[in-house]
Every structure is written in structure tokens, then in C-alpha cells.
Amino acid sequence: MPKPAIKTAKPSSRRSPCPVSCALDIFGDRWTLLVIRDLILGRNRFKDFLASPEGIPTNILTDRLKRLLERSIVTQVSSSESSKHLAYQLTEKGHALLPIVKAMKDWGLTWEKGTRAGLMTAT
Amino acid sequence: MPKPAIKTAKPSSRRSPCPVSCALDIFGDRWTLLVIRDLILGRNRFKDFLASPEGIPTNILTDRLKRLLERSIVTQVSSSESSKHLAYQLTEKGHALLPIVKAMKDWGLTWEKGTRAGLMTAT
């Protein structure tokens, strides 16, 4: 019986070799970096991401987690709550996104009135 | 005759007060930060942005520049080539996006094989 194919990250749909462009090919949307933010803050289950204040739709969350798994930015582990439930955690590649999220946080706090980082502490 | 209304940045469609979320409300897409990248690199005319290797469609470029002007991230100036032609330049708020673009460049170079920053030098 053949082994199931392991999905690997593919640079298939790159618009250019520019690293900024390639990064945006992966997370250039309104939602992906919010999932990364949540993971940085210690939220790690599907229902945690759904509970974040931005209200990510279920189908978009499913799609973004699938892409992040395919790109080896997150990995699946057993939830600490129950071995039956899966949780997500950042890989080394995923943790390396922290400076991007941090820079966005700093920019937002400085330039967008009324933003508050207090909501970003782990719950 | 009434003065034309001056467009100001409005936090109208925010998903939450989180600064990361608010930042992504503005530039959470595949194209906006590429225009910012180009401006950082000294490209400043509409035709310069169109000539970048990612091939931004004209209608998307028009829309993104309009949004960036409304958000006071870019401003319009006379082109150095001709006083009849307009160019764009980053405001202080726009320049403040540099750490985000730089962090994405560093991440892409480290984690996405085959990316090259050489294309990012000003032309």
C-alpha cells in the first residue's frame, strides 16, 4: 500500500522572488496574521481562534489553518485539555513571524488612534 | 463656493481595537505593502509601480493608492521629471511602515527558499 503523500510547502504561485512578495503570497490577507497573533498569545485551539474579537468566519479559519500547516508554519498537537482534541502550535518558522506581528502592533499603537494592545494579552 | 471636503482617515470599519487587526484592516492584502516597498526603494510614479515584477493590475493599484492617500500614508507631489505629472511619497506615517516591510524581507529570505533581496534595490 503506498504511503500517503506528505504535503510540503511549494513556491508554486510566487509572483516574484522578492522576499516581501513571497511573504505576502503566504499571509497577505486580513486574517492569517491574526491567527498567528492568537498563537503567539497562547490561544491554540480552533474554538479559541473563533472566539477572538474580530470574529473570523469558520470557513476562512479552516482554510488559513490548512495553508499554515502546508507551509510548515503551524503544526498540530494534542490539546492539553483532551487527547481527543487537536490544538495548533507555531513551528520555528512560525515563531519567526513574531517580529512582523510586533512591528504591526507598534505601528498600529503609534498611528491608529484608539487601538489598544491590552486585548492582546493571553487569556 | 463651498470648499471641497478633505478626506480623513476613518476608523470606521475596524474589526477590533487590536493594533495588529487595525493595521491589517489597512494593508492586509497581497498588494498594498508591495507599493510601500516600491516607495521605500525610490519608485514613486504610477508607471513605476506598474513596472514592478509582480505585475499589479492597474485597477488594484488605483484603489490601493487611493486608500493610502485617504489614510495619510502617502501624499502626492509633482514628479521630478515633469511638473505636469504627479508622483507619490511616503508621509511620516508611511515611513513608519519600514520595520514591517523589513521584518517581512528578513523572514522571507530566511524561510522561503529561492527568494532574493537583490531585486529590491532601487532602480
Side-chain angles (χ1 to χ4, degrees):
Chain A
M1 194 174 154
K3 283 173 74 177
I6 296 169
K7 282 183 181 170
T8 52
K10 279 183 257 174
S12 50
S13 57
R14 283 184 178 170
R15 292 172 290 172
S16 84
C18 165
V20 179
S21 171
C22 290
L24 292 170
D25 287 342
I26 299 169
F27 52 74
D29 69 272
R30 283 157 45 90
W31 296 105
T32 306
L33 287 178
L34 293 185
V35 176
I36 300 297
R37 173 205 63 184
D38 284 351
L39 285 160
I40 290 169
L41 296 174
R43 300 167 194 154
N44 61 10
R45 294 160 305 174
F46 197 88
K47 65 177 182 179
D48 296 334
F49 307 133
L50 285 180
S52 283
E54 293 81 14
I56 187 168
T58 306
N59 60 330
I60 291 182
L61 177 56
T62 301
D63 174 76
R64 296 306 186 275
L65 287 169
K66 181 172 169 282
R67 289 165 180 243
L68 290 170
L69 284 164
E70 286 173 355
R71 289 290 189 166
S72 306
I73 290 171
V74 302
T75 186
Q76 280 187 312
V77 291
S78 293
S79 167
S80 55
E81 266 187 11
S82 158
S83 60
K84 277 188 283 185
H85 291 95
L86 287 172
Y88 297 85
Q89 68 181 24
L90 291 167
T91 62
E92 188 185 355
K93 183 179 179 181
H95 273 293
L97 293 169
L98 180 58
I100 298 171
V101 176
K102 172 74 167 54
M104 286 191 182
K105 175 188 160 193
D106 292 345
W107 185 88
L109 286 175
T110 305
W111 294 100
E112 289 297 306
K113 281 185 187 168
T115 54
R116 296 193 303 276
L119 294 178
M120 287 184 65
T121 51
T123 53
Chain B
M1 196 172 154
K3 284 172 73 176
I6 295 169
K7 282 183 180 170
T8 53
K10 281 182 258 174
S12 49
S13 56
R14 282 184 179 170
R15 292 171 290 172
S16 84
C18 166
V20 178
S21 171
C22 291
L24 292 171
D25 287 342
I26 299 170
F27 51 74
D29 69 272
R30 284 158 44 90
W31 296 105
T32 305
L33 288 178
L34 293 185
V35 176
I36 301 297
R37 172 204 64 184
D38 284 350
L39 284 160
I40 290 168
L41 297 174
R43 301 169 193 151
N44 62 10
R45 294 160 306 173
F46 196 88
K47 65 177 181 179
D48 296 334
F49 306 134
L50 286 180
S52 283
E54 293 82 13
I56 187 169
T58 306
N59 61 329
I60 291 182
L61 177 56
T62 301
D63 174 76
R64 296 306 187 272
L65 286 170
K66 180 171 168 282
R67 289 165 180 244
L68 290 171
L69 285 164
E70 286 172 356
R71 289 289 189 166
S72 305
I73 290 171
V74 302
T75 186
Q76 280 186 312
V77 291
S78 293
S79 166
S80 56
E81 266 187 11
S82 157
S83 60
K84 278 189 285 186
H85 291 95
L86 287 171
Y88 297 85
Q89 68 181 22
L90 292 167
T91 62
E92 189 185 354
K93 183 178 178 180
H95 273 294
L97 293 168
L98 180 58
I100 298 171
V101 176
K102 172 75 167 54
M104 285 190 182
K105 175 188 160 192
D106 292 345
W107 186 86
L109 286 175
T110 304
W111 294 100
E112 289 297 306
K113 280 185 188 168
T115 54
R116 295 192 302 275
L119 293 179
M120 286 185 65
T121 50
T123 53

